[in-house]
Amino acid sequence: MSKAPVLLVFGQSNAHASGVRLPENERILSPLSRVLTLPRAENQFYSPAAVIWRGYTTEDTNLGECQDHTDCFPTAYARLWEDNAGSLGLPDLYVIRISIGAQGVTEGYMWHPLHPRRLIPGPRGVADLALFPFSCDVIRRAFDDLRSRGLEPVVTGLHWFGTEEETGVPTQRLDVLPVLHRVLIRGWREAAGCKVPVILYKLRCVERSAAMGEDPRCIETINASFARLAEEEKDVFAADPRDCPLYDPSDPINNGLYADGVHLSGPVNRWLAETAFRKDLSALGLD
């Protein structure tokens, strides 16, 4: 079977770079030819039917909330793949994006495994999805579709830009984070039926969190949960935005990383995508 690389990008607002707009001349309006994705209108539902793929654009490609044309990690990664596919002889890439802003993993948020099974589309504030079972359903249907066409899904990485809402959750409710993260990861892996490397992005919006009066122990607890998972679970990795050369601790609030104190800037997302792209090519033996 031919390999079908799959990029998964899940989480909340940083997964789609909320509010970090692409300049009009950098928007992808004509579908890419070597990178495919799941358009929201045709795939945002529970169904036994096969998924519908189309060439990647910066519009209608997040199966979570409606927010398009942002300078996000998955778009940067898609551009890199498209630009290098011919010269490096890469197979087509398949991208699945699911994220809704302000939705954490603890009880009451949409990534909680037991969130009521609803599926209401729309922008943030309107959209209401049971994101965990929905994401598992999408993975299962997408991978079944690839296999039915004689392709072997190979996950380049499941990139988790999430657990950010928990910075404002009482610390006594955060002890459950390692358990919740394991439930999510195991569910996604079972749905995929193949190896799924998971990359957890540490939270570094310390100054903004402090300005909002949040308990600093929350970010410490979230990052500690990521580190613990990376130590104890196979193929789970913790990534740190502070490794980006743009990191500047003398820059108040944004630290050279954020566009608004909490959402990673376009240049940082592009650096993260380039870093992941290089690692993925090496891991897949495609470099």
Side-chain angles (χ1 to χ4, degrees):
M1 297 176 73
S2 300
K3 290 182 179 179
V6 182
L7 172 71
L8 304 168
V9 184
F10 294 170
Q12 48 185 104
S13 56
N14 262 309
H16 55 263
S18 180
V20 185
R21 309 299 295 170
L22 275 170
E24 287 195 18
N25 64 341
E26 293 184 17
R27 296 177 178 181
I28 303 174
L29 303 178
S30 299
L32 300 182
S33 61
R34 303 301 305 276
V35 182
L36 296 99
T37 192
L38 300 175
R40 185 168 53 242
E42 290 90 342
N43 295 283
Q44 195 186 45
F45 50 79
Y46 293 102
S47 171
V51 296
I52 298 174
W53 301 96
R54 74 149 191 234
Y56 189 95
T57 68
T58 54
E59 183 176 17
D60 191 38
T61 56
N62 178 10
L63 297 181
E65 71 171 77
C66 301
Q67 185 176 167
D68 300 323
H69 305 305
T70 55
D71 203 352
C72 58
F73 173 93
T75 290
Y77 193 106
R79 286 187 196 275
L80 285 167
W81 198 279
E82 181 82 5
D83 292 345
N84 290 278
S87 60
L88 296 179
L90 304 179
D92 291 346
L93 173 70
Y94 296 82
V95 179
I96 301 175
R97 302 174 52 191
I98 303 176
S99 54
I100 296 181
Q103 295 306 317
V105 300
T106 48
E107 187 174 358
Y109 295 120
M110 296 180 201
W111 277 109
H112 188 271
L114 299 181
H115 185 76
R117 193 180 174 97
R118 292 190 288 265
L119 205 164
I120 301 172
R124 174 184 164 183
V126 175
D128 188 355
L129 284 76
L131 290 168
F132 175 57
F134 175 67
S135 61
C136 291
D137 181 72
V138 170
I139 290 172
R140 192 175 297 109
R141 290 190 291 124
F143 283 41
D144 285 349
D145 174 74
L146 294 174
R147 293 181 178 114
S148 73
R149 294 189 279 120
L151 298 172
E152 176 191 359
V154 179
V155 178
T156 62
L158 188 157
H159 295 261
W160 176 253
F161 292 87
T163 322
E164 298 162 327
E165 206 63 21
E166 277 67 29
T167 61
V169 170
T171 55
Q172 61 268 27
R173 289 180 54 196
L174 299 184
D175 290 344
V176 73
L177 284 181
V179 174
L180 290 174
H181 288 136
R182 285 188 171 92
V183 169
L184 297 177
I185 291 169
R186 289 170 185 171
W188 294 325
R189 287 174 168 172
E190 288 175 5
C194 62
K195 178 181 176 180
V196 178
V198 176
I199 300 89
L200 308 167
Y201 287 87
K202 290 184 177 181
L203 278 57
R204 294 305 187 189
C205 48
V206 176
E207 287 79 1
R208 188 259 192 182
S209 179
M212 294 183 66
E214 296 174 343
D215 189 331
R217 293 175 298 174
C218 291
I219 288 182
E220 295 170 2
T221 301
I222 294 165
N223 288 337
S225 176
F226 289 168
R228 177 177 170 185
L229 286 164
E231 291 176 0
E232 298 178 355
E233 296 286 334
K234 185 177 181 181
D235 296 319
V236 175
F237 309 93
D240 194 337
R242 286 183 179 174
D243 291 336
C244 177
L246 295 173
Y247 171 59
D248 179 4
S250 68
D251 174 17
I253 305 297
N254 289 322
N255 290 165
L257 300 176
Y258 298 99
D260 55 9
V262 66
H263 295 109
L264 295 167
S265 70
V268 172
N269 278 319
R270 290 192 288 276
W271 182 84
L272 292 173
E274 290 168 5
T275 302
F277 179 74
R278 290 194 299 270
K279 289 181 179 178
D280 293 343
L281 293 186
S282 177
L284 295 171
L286 298 172
D287 53 350

